[in-house]
Amino acid sequence: MHRLMIVDDERHIVDWLFELFLDSMPDLDIVKAYSAQEALQRLEASKIDVVLSDIRMPGMSGLELMERIKDNWPACRIVFLTGYSEFEYIYAAKKQSGVNYLLKTEDDDVIVEAVGEAITEIERELGNRQWQSRALEREELVTHLMRKELLLDVADGKVRLADANRVWLDKLSIPFDESRPALLLLGRWHDAIEFPDYSDKFLVLSGLSALSERYFSSFASHVLLDVDKYDLLWILQPAISEEDADVSDNRERRGRRAVFYVREMLETLQAASEEVLKTKISFLLYEQPVPWTSVREKWDLMKAMADVRLSSPRGMPVVCAIDADEASSFDAANKAAFEGGAYARKTEALQECLEQGLRNEFFERLDELNEGLHRASRMRDLAVAQVYCAISLLFLTYINRNGLAEKLADRVSLGRLIPSSGFESWNDSFDYLRELGQAVFALKEDERSHREDELIERIKAFVRSNLHGELTLARISQKVNYNASYVSRFFKQSTGTNLFEFIHKARISKAKELLEDGSRTIQEIAKATGFDSPQYFATAFKKTTGLTPNEYRSQRS
């Protein structure tokens, strides 16, 4: 969904244009600003795709506003409306790319067409397939794999970036400063995409990295890693100037701005990926900067939360964010699972030691695992069972691959590698596994349905409790921590009603209730139900009910 901002110091023009686009382009998320200063505040709060603005306003002209917009959102299209036709204004506006110019005397259709053309330009740019023409060179692939291995080792605490040669890091295109925290962004192939071989996957990753560079580079450096089969990890670090490097307040401010810009650009990156690379990706952004020593811990947390937040049975890719409080609550509720996962992950190092014959290192790591788990009082503890099964599988794989079963039989019993479960045959155990699988997936579907119902109720509750205020799609989506496009499509598919239609009906319904009460004036009711003026309220009310507010009140009195 694209977002249009209408800017003019004359309220009646803004309100007229708002109604015009509400009727002619109902899929737009429309934001109103009654001054250039208010427009800048809106631009600070969310990404705007198209700005429809007066070119002459008090305090700050439309041209000055244009410069500020282009600094922050270079891809934003601007359509200027003015009653003045002086050549210098037209010339100044036309010098900028993505800028159009119309007189206020133009017909409504011409204004709507100009905004439509601006949106078409945005979509055409997203469809530019130049990213797919990048050559798949062997050197790029090798560099990618080496960069991935090094950064994953850093995340696991095996090496430190600070100890690496800067020339080598530059060769691998690793731009990070380990003394400053990073932002973590999880991407998940939405359709569990399968690649014939890694070169095909790398081609898509290269295109995705190029798109990321385009949308992120102005405010953060980044590296994209394919961590496993379906999950991607973006590590981002806010750009910082030399003068800000030693000022903590400036670093924190830039960090907050980077979080904001990343969050706002994700929907654009998602659309570009689908259009250009033919891949659907869901995103989960961790909004708290993460020290490098905590990258693995937070990544595990994000993967666990992604299983909940990114599941969408309606076939829609998702963009959502989690803050530190939500992450902390989830972490506490799943502490045992995370501990089990962390211990089980350490068994990977055991396999390497076993295969390479590193006896001392093997038992050192085995003792490390024991140190964390020896207090467990019973094997029924699922975290303990997870670790035991992981190590058992490691031994079983090694023994079977090397034909050691008979040779070991005289030394140690192998039966206890497989915990007794009371099954008399493989058929019994398989029937149990199938039954367990059915139960797990049924539970996941029930929980998913419950989360969807809960999200719809959260949206409706927020709308009903804020009818007096501004109810833009951007504000609602930020409240529920999903991106605007997803919220809009999800609400329509779930309820059969456009979200803006629901908001309008809720406002009219509340207005009817207040009119029947009879204790408030029309002006008070208009304000209480979120209409900008009594005139606009009267027009909207009559359009919906066929009666003016006063006529409706008279009938009910």
Side-chain angles (χ1 to χ4, degrees), residues 45-208:
S46 61
K47 179 176 75 72
I48 304 294
D49 298 297
V50 182
V51 172
L52 181 61
S53 174
D54 186 10
I55 206 168
R56 275 194 152 185
M57 293 177 287
M60 178 184 290
S61 72
L63 296 180
E64 292 173 300
L65 175 63
M66 174 183 68
E67 297 297 334
R68 299 283 294 273
I69 292 172
K70 290 296 183 179
D71 284 343
N72 291 325
W73 305 108
C76 180
R77 277 7 186 224
I78 302 172
V79 178
F80 279 123
L81 281 176
T82 184
Y84 299 88
S85 56
E86 289 92 334
F87 175 77
E88 61 268 23
Y89 285 99
I90 302 174
Y91 179 73
K94 284 291 189 180
K95 285 202 313 184
Q96 283 275 6
S97 63
V99 177
N100 200 358
Y101 174 93
L102 295 173
L103 293 173
K104 290 181 179 178
T105 54
E106 296 282 8
D107 291 339
D108 291 359
D109 291 345
V110 176
I111 297 173
V112 171
E113 183 180 355
V115 171
E117 288 176 354
I119 292 172
T120 300
E121 287 178 11
I122 293 172
E123 293 174 343
R124 187 184 300 121
E125 188 171 281
L126 290 177
N128 190 333
R129 301 183 184 277
Q130 61 179 332
W131 310 113
Q132 287 186 323
S133 65
R134 289 173 52 111
L136 182 60
E137 299 178 2
R138 182 176 180 83
E139 184 177 352
E140 288 183 347
L141 176 56
V142 171
T143 299
H144 167 76
L145 293 173
M146 294 178 70
R147 179 171 56 239
K148 171 182 171 181
E149 182 178 3
L150 176 58
L151 286 174
L152 291 181
D153 282 347
V154 171
D156 287 333
K158 297 178 181 178
V159 297
R160 297 176 66 246
L161 281 180
D163 296 333
N165 184 286
R166 186 69 255 178
V167 174
W168 178 242
L169 293 178
D170 290 341
K171 184 176 178 60
L172 294 180
S173 299
I174 297 177
F176 303 128
D177 176 359
E178 200 173 11
S179 68
R180 295 193 290 119
L183 298 176
L184 303 182
L185 171 65
L186 181 148
R188 178 165 291 175
W189 303 115
H190 185 69
D191 294 325
I193 187 171
E194 295 281 354
F195 296 98
D197 56 52
Y198 194 81
S199 63
D200 293 312
K201 183 177 184 179
F202 178 66
L203 182 60
V204 175
L205 289 171
S206 297
L208 190 55

Side-chain angles (χ1 to χ4, degrees), residues 415-431:
R416 297 181 68 186
L417 272 178
I418 307 174
S420 175
S421 55
F423 296 116
E424 295 183 0
S425 68
W426 166 248
N427 287 337
D428 289 343
S429 63
F430 182 78
D431 288 343

Side-chain angles (χ1 to χ4, degrees), residues 301-514:
L301 173 68
M302 292 175 71
K303 282 178 63 68
M305 295 192 74
D307 293 340
V308 176
R309 297 292 299 275
L310 298 187
S311 57
S312 175
R314 300 179 185 277
M316 295 183 291
V318 179
V319 173
C320 59
I322 53 174
D323 56 31
D325 291 339
E326 184 179 3
S328 179
S329 298
F330 189 89
D331 196 0
N334 297 272
K335 186 174 180 61
F338 288 132
E339 287 181 349
Y343 285 125
R345 189 171 60 250
K346 291 181 180 180
T347 63
E348 297 172 5
L350 289 177
Q351 181 176 354
E352 182 179 342
C353 294
L354 186 62
E355 291 178 346
Q356 296 187 20
L358 303 175
R359 178 187 177 90
N360 292 337
E361 289 85 347
F362 179 88
F363 287 104
E364 285 176 6
R365 284 165 174 73
L366 193 62
D367 289 341
E368 287 176 6
L369 286 169
N370 178 56
E371 182 65 26
L373 295 172
H374 75 277
R375 296 184 184 86
S377 60
R378 54 180 184 167
M379 280 301 294
R380 290 184 181 181
D381 186 310
L382 291 182
V384 174
Q386 181 181 358
V387 175
Y388 185 85
C389 288
I391 299 175
S392 296
L393 180 60
L394 183 155
F395 276 120
L396 285 170
T397 301
Y398 185 79
I399 291 168
N400 286 332
R401 185 170 62 235
N402 293 281
L404 302 179
E406 292 185 7
K407 297 176 182 179
L408 285 169
D410 295 334
R411 297 172 179 262
V412 62
S413 172
L414 301 181
R416 297 181 68 186
L417 272 178
I418 307 174
S420 175
S421 55
F423 296 116
E424 295 183 0
S425 68
W426 166 248
N427 287 337
D428 289 343
S429 63
F430 182 78
D431 288 343
Y432 168 74
L433 292 174
R434 177 174 286 279
E435 181 183 2
L436 177 61
Q438 296 283 8
V440 168
F441 279 100
L443 179 61
K444 286 176 69 71
E445 290 299 319
D446 290 345
E447 291 179 344
R448 183 179 294 163
S449 178
H450 174 72
R451 287 195 303 272
E452 289 191 336
D453 293 341
E454 184 180 49
L455 178 56
I456 291 296
E457 288 307 312
R458 286 175 62 198
I459 294 170
K460 288 182 175 180
F462 180 74
V463 168
R464 293 186 182 115
S465 61
N466 290 275
L467 292 175
H468 59 285
E470 184 182 75
L471 285 172
T472 63
L473 186 56
R475 187 182 179 206
I476 295 170
S477 61
Q478 287 174 2
K479 183 65 179 179
V480 298
N481 269 337
Y482 283 90
N483 71 308
S485 180
Y486 177 78
V487 168
S488 176
R489 288 180 290 146
F490 173 77
F491 191 91
K492 179 67 179 290
Q493 289 192 21
S494 298
T495 66
T497 303
N498 181 286
L499 179 56
F500 293 115
E501 292 177 5
F502 173 78
I503 293 171
H504 181 74
K505 289 179 181 178
R507 282 177 162 151
I508 296 298
S509 178
K510 182 65 176 180
K512 288 180 179 179
E513 178 185 324
L514 296 176

